[in-house]
PDB file of all heavy atoms in Angstrom:
ATOM      1  N   VAL W 185     134.795  44.052  99.455  1.00  0.00           N
ATOM      2  CA  VAL W 185     135.854  44.915  98.928  1.00  0.00           C
ATOM      3  C   VAL W 185     137.186  44.537  99.565  1.00  0.00           C
ATOM      4  O   VAL W 185     137.243  44.254 100.769  1.00  0.00           O
ATOM      5  CB  VAL W 185     135.544  46.411  99.200  1.00  0.00           C
ATOM      6  CG1 VAL W 185     136.753  47.284  98.885  1.00  0.00           C
ATOM      7  CG2 VAL W 185     134.346  46.869  98.385  1.00  0.00           C
ATOM      8  N   TRP W 239     152.022  56.887 125.838  1.00  0.00           N
ATOM      9  CA  TRP W 239     153.086  57.141 126.806  1.00  0.00           C
ATOM     10  C   TRP W 239     154.028  55.941 126.928  1.00  0.00           C
ATOM     11  O   TRP W 239     155.235  56.118 127.175  1.00  0.00           O
ATOM     12  CB  TRP W 239     152.484  57.525 128.155  1.00  0.00           C
ATOM     13  CG  TRP W 239     152.107  58.980 128.180  1.00  0.00           C
ATOM     14  CD1 TRP W 239     150.868  59.514 127.948  1.00  0.00           C
ATOM     15  CD2 TRP W 239     152.988  60.080 128.406  1.00  0.00           C
ATOM     16  NE1 TRP W 239     150.930  60.883 128.020  1.00  0.00           N
ATOM     17  CE2 TRP W 239     152.217  61.262 128.299  1.00  0.00           C
ATOM     18  CE3 TRP W 239     154.347  60.189 128.692  1.00  0.00           C
ATOM     19  CZ2 TRP W 239     152.759  62.526 128.474  1.00  0.00           C
ATOM     20  CZ3 TRP W 239     154.905  61.458 128.857  1.00  0.00           C
ATOM     21  CH2 TRP W 239     154.104  62.619 128.755  1.00  0.00           C
ATOM     22  N   ARG W 307     134.594  52.334 113.579  1.00  0.00           N
ATOM     23  CA  ARG W 307     133.172  52.403 113.239  1.00  0.00           C
ATOM     24  C   ARG W 307     132.592  51.011 112.987  1.00  0.00           C
ATOM     25  O   ARG W 307     131.441  50.731 113.341  1.00  0.00           O
ATOM     26  CB  ARG W 307     132.979  53.310 112.029  1.00  0.00           C
ATOM     27  CG  ARG W 307     133.217  54.785 112.346  1.00  0.00           C
ATOM     28  CD  ARG W 307     133.573  55.602 111.117  1.00  0.00           C
ATOM     29  NE  ARG W 307     132.558  55.543 110.096  1.00  0.00           N
ATOM     30  CZ  ARG W 307     132.761  55.891 108.822  1.00  0.00           C
ATOM     31  NH1 ARG W 307     133.967  56.283 108.422  1.00  0.00           N
ATOM     32  NH2 ARG W 307     131.780  55.823 107.962  1.00  0.00           N
ATOM     33  N   THR W 394     146.772  69.822 103.583  1.00  0.00           N
ATOM     34  CA  THR W 394     146.804  70.108 102.156  1.00  0.00           C
ATOM     35  C   THR W 394     147.271  68.875 101.436  1.00  0.00           C
ATOM     36  O   THR W 394     147.951  68.032 101.997  1.00  0.00           O
ATOM     37  CB  THR W 394     147.756  71.287 101.842  1.00  0.00           C
ATOM     38  OG1 THR W 394     149.045  70.963 102.353  1.00  0.00           O
ATOM     39  CG2 THR W 394     147.265  72.576 102.493  1.00  0.00           C
TER      40      THR W 394
END
Side-chain angles (χ1 to χ4, degrees):
V185 170
W239 278 97
R307 289 157 58 197
T394 56

